[in-house]
């Protein structure tokens, strides 16, 4: 009896942890299967202040994509915990960055000029 309990304990404690959940990356403008639709941002209806206020609320990745469109490039950090969405602003020749948590799928940080 004790041997079975001990054996069961050893077998279950040595089991490998479950594989990590795959991180789904959004498409970039160049790789999107659908054409880029006009958004509030691309139409020029958002001021810098409104962008800042929107991102401060930690919106979901879907809301970010609906508002800004597909990013110009996307990266995942080495730990697989943060997605970086880069939006190129041609007038400024500068990239703005939105950080999306891979766990919560919402904004975890941003740098927007």
């Amino acid at each position: 009896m004790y041997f079975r309990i001990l054996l069961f304990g050893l077998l279950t404690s040595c089991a490998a942890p479950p594989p990590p959940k795959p991180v789904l990356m959004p498409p970039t403008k160049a790789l999107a299967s659908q054409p880029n639709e006009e958004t509030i941002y691309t139409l020029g209806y958002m001021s810098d202040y409104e962008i800042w206020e929107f991102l401060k609320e930690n919106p979901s990745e879907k809301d970010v994509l609906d508002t800004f469109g597909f990013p110009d490039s996307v990266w995942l950090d080495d730990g697989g915990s943060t997605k970086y969405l880069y939006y190129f602003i041609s007038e400024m020749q500068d990239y703005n960055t939105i950080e999306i948590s891979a766990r919560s799928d919402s904004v975890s940080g941003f740098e927007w000029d």
Side-chain angles (χ1 to χ4, degrees), residues 6-48:
L6 180 62
L7 182 62
F8 178 75
L10 285 174
L11 292 176
T12 57
S13 65
C14 296
K21 182 178 128 183
V23 176
L24 299 176
M25 301 295 281
T28 61
K29 288 178 185 175
L31 298 177
S33 60
Q34 62 212 32
N36 290 330
E37 295 181 17
E38 295 293 327
T39 65
I40 295 170
Y41 172 72
T42 61
L43 291 171
Y45 294 146
M46 289 183 83
S47 69
D48 290 337

Side-chain angles (χ1 to χ4, degrees), residues 46-101:
M46 289 183 83
S47 69
D48 290 337
Y49 176 77
E50 291 169 322
I51 292 169
W52 184 270
E53 288 297 312
F54 172 73
L55 293 173
K56 259 186 15 179
E57 296 297 319
N58 301 335
S60 69
E61 180 179 311
K62 180 186 180 321
D63 290 341
V64 168
L65 296 175
D66 288 346
T67 302
F68 296 105
F70 295 124
D72 293 288
S73 79
V74 180
W75 298 92
L76 183 64
D77 73 343
D78 291 337
S81 63
T82 304
K83 303 177 212 178
Y84 295 92
L85 283 55
Y86 294 99
Y87 289 88
F88 183 69
I89 311 301
S90 57
E91 297 83 26
M92 299 171 56
Q93 293 295 302
D94 187 31
Y95 277 98
N96 289 319
T97 307
I98 300 174
E99 300 172 17
I100 305 286
S101 167

